[in-house]
Amino acid sequence: MATEHAGNAQQVLTPSGYIDHHLAFNAKSFGESSFWTLHVDTFAMSVALGIIVMGLIWLVARKATSGVPGKGQAFVELVFGFIDDQVKNIFHGNRHAFIAPTALTVFLWVLVLNSMDFLPVDWVAGIVSFFGGEHATWRAVPTSDINTTFALALAVWILMIFFSIKVKGLGGWVHELFYAPFGGAKFFKPKTAMGVVGLLLSPLLFVANFAFNLIEYISKPLSHALRLFGNMYAGEVIFLLLGMWAATGAGWIIPSAILGAGWSIFHILIVALQAFIFMMLTVVYLAMAHESH
């Protein structure tokens, strides 16, 4: 047992073991199958950060005044106005009923989830090891988990279908699936041989329209989820590589620190930009659901 423990500790000290340890999830399986697995760290961080954001906004709204705003109220009003302007340029209906609040919620939540990437991974590992033991794992960045980004994207996808049916009706939505964008079959009396061919092939437009729309419906949540996941996962890996570079020798500490500081500054833009892009795609998809082809 002592030999096995020593071997495990040595594995963690290797570069691959270091990366594997920091990229491992705190997972709990339900049943014998590994399919039903809960990433406890992702779930706990997502819920906790969501509650914190809602609590902070609630505190600011509770203390809001119609006079000269404080710094907190001015910042929140600036964010509210920025998001509302973006939604107004895309969605032309009653945006304040659902779309604008949803966009604000998505932006703030994804922003704070992404911001966890600024936490030093070794600090997080040290805190987790203190409470859970040497080999305890904890991923602090929920959006570097593909399950999180797919869950968010699927929620937007379900809302998109819901509003399509709500605005156009079930019949209108199904009609759009088979009639847009190429139009439907046209039945006419052919006058030439090519007219006969056109008449026979005309029903294939239904198949083409449905295939086109099916690809669109499948690609939207995939691109929505993978874009956010890929950027945040890559950022997490780069931070780990820079940390490993510093650990290879004293001569690499200063260069890796400079590169790490530069990457951190650049990563601030990535964190905010990815939250903004995810929010904008959400608004675009919901706006498209309210419009007809």
Side-chain angles (χ1 to χ4, degrees), residues 18 22 45 49 112-125 127-128 138-142 232 235-236 239-240 264 267 271:
Y18 177 81
H22 284 296
M45 293 293 293
L49 291 172
V112 295
L113 296 181
N114 292 350
S115 299
M116 293 300 100
D117 209 11
F118 295 124
L119 295 177
V121 291
D122 290 326
W123 291 10
V124 175
I127 295 173
V128 173
W138 192 270
R139 290 282 291 275
V141 188
M232 299 314 301
E236 196 173 18
F239 277 124
L240 287 173
S264 297
H267 204 58
V271 164

Side-chain angles (χ1 to χ4, degrees), residues 61-146:
R62 185 184 178 188
K63 299 178 180 179
T65 62
S66 58
V68 179
K71 294 181 180 180
Q73 182 180 342
F75 176 75
V76 170
E77 289 179 354
L78 180 65
V79 174
F80 276 38
F82 172 73
I83 300 299
D84 188 60
D85 288 340
Q86 301 303 316
V87 176
K88 181 173 61 177
N89 294 330
I90 299 173
F91 184 75
H92 305 295
N94 182 14
R95 66 184 184 277
H96 295 138
F98 184 83
I99 305 299
T102 300
L104 178 67
T105 302
V106 168
F107 176 74
L108 292 178
W109 197 20
V110 174
L111 180 63
V112 295
L113 296 181
N114 292 350
S115 299
M116 293 300 100
D117 209 11
F118 295 124
L119 295 177
V121 291
D122 290 326
W123 291 10
V124 175
I127 295 173
V128 173
S129 299
F130 178 79
F131 289 99
E134 180 182 356
H135 299 290
T137 56
W138 192 270
R139 290 282 291 275
V141 188
T143 45
S144 66
D145 184 355
I146 190 65

Side-chain angles (χ1 to χ4, degrees), residues 142-251:
T143 45
S144 66
D145 184 355
I146 190 65
N147 296 285
T148 302
T149 58
F150 260 113
L152 292 170
L154 285 176
V156 175
W157 186 75
I158 292 172
L159 287 173
M160 180 181 65
I161 296 177
F162 169 77
F163 281 111
S164 293
I165 297 175
K166 180 180 178 181
V167 173
K168 305 163 189 173
L170 180 60
W173 179 63
V174 174
H175 179 274
E176 191 175 71
L177 286 177
F178 289 93
Y179 278 81
F182 305 116
K186 296 180 180 179
F187 301 100
F188 55 91
K189 184 177 180 179
K191 297 181 180 180
T192 63
M194 292 303 297
V196 174
V197 175
L199 178 63
L200 294 176
L201 296 180
S202 183
L204 293 179
L205 286 175
F206 295 133
V207 179
N209 289 327
F210 180 73
F212 186 87
N213 285 297
L214 184 62
I215 293 173
E216 180 182 353
Y217 272 97
I218 293 175
S219 62
K220 282 180 178 177
L222 286 175
S223 61
H224 205 185
L226 292 176
R227 180 182 289 104
L228 177 60
F229 163 74
N231 281 277
M232 299 314 301
Y233 183 81
E236 196 173 18
V237 171
I238 290 177
F239 277 124
L240 287 173
L241 293 176
L242 290 173
M244 287 177 53
W245 190 25
T248 56

